[in-house]
Amino acid sequence: AAEAFRNSGWAVPSPKRRGEVLRDIAQRIRAQAEELATLEARNVGKPIDDARWEINAGARCFDYYAHLASQPSGETIPVANGGLDYTLRVPVGVVAAIVPWNFPFLMAAWKVGPALAAGCSVVLKPASLTPLTALALGKIAHEAGIPAGVFSVIAGRGDQIGDHLVSHAQVRKIAFTGETVTGARILRLAADDIKRVSLELGGKSPNVIFADADIEAAAAAAPSAVFGNTGQDCCARSRIFVERPAYAKFLEAFVEATKKQVIGDPLNAKTQIGPLVSAKQRQRTEQYVEYAKEEGGRIVYGGTRPTEKGYYLTPAIVDGLANSSRVCREEIFGPLACVIPFDGEQEAIALANDT
């Protein structure tokens, strides 16, 4: 990648040329969208309609950066008389892009698109569970005209390949999306030679519902907000705060709306919730269901295996837990929602921000 950055010509031709190649990548993604969506559904276990949206969103990402490739500009900075100070935007060099298993193709597009647009070389390391669509993206990029070595996809274990990339002297920038403990480790490894690092890590996002809301509409929307992608999403709204006068009404409606979610084969267009990505991830979610019981929570619905074929789990709804409980504080990355009452706007803000 470093050799290609220096000698392939990708970093030095006109930005217009880079934009043309990125636009060609977007067109090729659209031409193969159904094949890629099917591959992603099998790759992760996500419903096919979700996979279709993500593939097309990935194409839009490459279109977006195709346009931006020729937009970056410098700036003139006022200095003392007789001086001239200005900045230029230049590619940083080799970028290591490390992506998670929950949105493999889209996360890859979000990292690879801007890095290529800037003229960088990219080494993409997909999650070991879900390398298939990243490898397909690499093939598409080379067919569109990305020079050899400018964009590489290396599949394998994070503790081997990921650590090597993060600590390698010729990697100048790291872009990582994933779990918080791993993010902290990457930051430590990158510190020795002060690499540029961007991290998108875990979350425990709130869904705040006031008593004067349309409770039926809120309850109907809440399942997809937390159980989309089987809850395997860093922005899943897994803590649902409901103002006390509306609490009972919302909880009942939320349970009914969740029961209507269709669990099934990811390749069936009617499916809304597919399996979890692995046996380990299902066991992790089941363990948090047990934690909820131990902490005095009530399992209002779900948390059981509807079938032993595939890593399926019915979405779990828990109430009776304080926001300080383990289940309400730790990212689960599975289909489990905690419903918590609040009194007034100030308490809602305090609870939402207390993570």
Side-chain angles (χ1 to χ4, degrees):
E3 177 72 17
F5 178 70
R6 290 189 294 267
N7 299 320
S8 70
W10 179 252
V12 295
S14 71
K16 179 175 180 291
R17 171 60 185 151
R18 291 200 295 268
E20 289 170 350
V21 174
L22 294 187
R23 196 164 287 110
D24 189 15
I25 292 174
Q27 292 170 349
R28 290 171 184 269
I29 291 170
R30 290 191 179 95
Q32 302 175 42
E34 189 62 21
E35 177 186 343
L36 289 167
T38 301
L39 189 62
E40 190 76 326
R42 289 177 168 156
N43 203 26
V44 186
K46 66 177 63 214
I48 186 66
D49 278 355
D50 292 351
R52 287 172 179 140
W53 180 88
E54 287 166 29
I55 298 302
N56 282 291
R60 291 196 300 274
C61 175
F62 279 99
D63 270 338
Y64 180 82
Y65 287 106
H67 171 72
L68 281 189
S70 59
Q71 301 303 310
S73 59
E75 52 194 338
T76 303
I77 302 167
V79 293
N81 287 341
L84 176 64
D85 190 3
Y86 65 95
T87 60
L88 298 173
R89 306 290 183 190
V90 296
V92 70
V94 177
V95 175
I98 304 173
V99 298
W101 46 257
N102 58 337
F103 296 91
F105 187 87
L106 187 54
M107 292 287 187
W110 286 352
K111 287 176 172 32
V112 171
L116 291 177
C120 296
S121 293
V122 186
V123 180
L124 173 64
K125 194 277 182 205
S128 54
L129 285 174
T130 55
L132 301 181
T133 49
L135 293 165
L137 178 60
K139 184 171 185 290
I140 287 170
H142 287 127
E143 289 170 348
I146 298 291
V150 167
F151 177 30
S152 306
V153 182
I154 304 181
R157 285 173 48 182
D159 60 353
Q160 296 173 344
I161 295 168
D163 283 3
H164 185 70
L165 281 173
V166 167
S167 56
H168 198 288
Q170 295 200 78
V171 171
R172 303 301 173 87
K173 157 76 182 181
I174 301 161
F176 171 77
T177 296
E179 179 266 334
T180 304
V181 172
T182 305
R185 173 176 169 76
I186 286 172
L187 205 56
R188 287 192 295 270
L189 288 172
D192 287 343
D193 50 2
I194 315 178
K195 288 177 168 61
R196 294 165 174 83
V197 179
S198 57
L199 303 172
E200 181 194 8
L201 306 177
K204 196 71 178 176
S205 300
N207 184 353
V208 183
I209 299 162
F210 288 87
D212 62 353
D214 183 334
I215 300 302
E216 294 296 333
S224 61
V226 60
F227 302 134
N229 206 38
T230 322
Q232 300 167 128
D233 187 345
C234 60
C235 57
R237 267 70 83 202
S238 55
R239 297 179 302 144
I240 305 176
F241 298 109
V242 186
E243 198 166 18
R244 201 173 299 275
Y247 187 85
K249 180 180 179 181
F250 172 84
L251 184 60
E252 181 182 359
F254 177 46
V255 169
E256 291 307 310
T258 300
K259 288 178 179 179
K260 294 176 182 176
Q261 296 283 297
V262 178
I263 302 172
D265 180 353
L267 297 182
N268 185 331
K270 294 181 180 179
T271 295
Q272 295 168 288
I273 298 177
L276 284 99
V277 73
S278 66
K280 180 180 178 181
Q281 203 61 27
R282 180 171 64 176
Q283 289 165 2
R284 174 181 171 85
T285 307
E286 289 173 329
Q287 182 62 66
Y288 275 92
V289 171
E290 294 306 311
Y291 290 153
K293 295 175 184 176
E294 292 168 9
E295 293 180 309
R298 178 174 66 113
I299 310 302
V300 182
Y301 175 74
T304 58
R305 300 183 182 188
T307 174
E308 286 302 318
K309 183 180 180 182
Y311 306 129
Y312 290 93
L313 193 69
T314 56
I317 299 171
V318 180
D319 81 341
L321 291 175
N323 191 51
S324 58
S325 67
R326 180 174 184 176
V327 177
C328 295
R329 296 196 74 79
E330 296 180 6
E331 185 176 40
I332 298 167
F333 235 57
L336 194 159
C338 300
V339 188
I340 304 168
F342 70 87
D343 296 296
E345 181 178 347
Q346 290 307 309
E347 186 183 12
I349 293 170
L351 289 169
N353 287 329
D354 182 19
T355 62

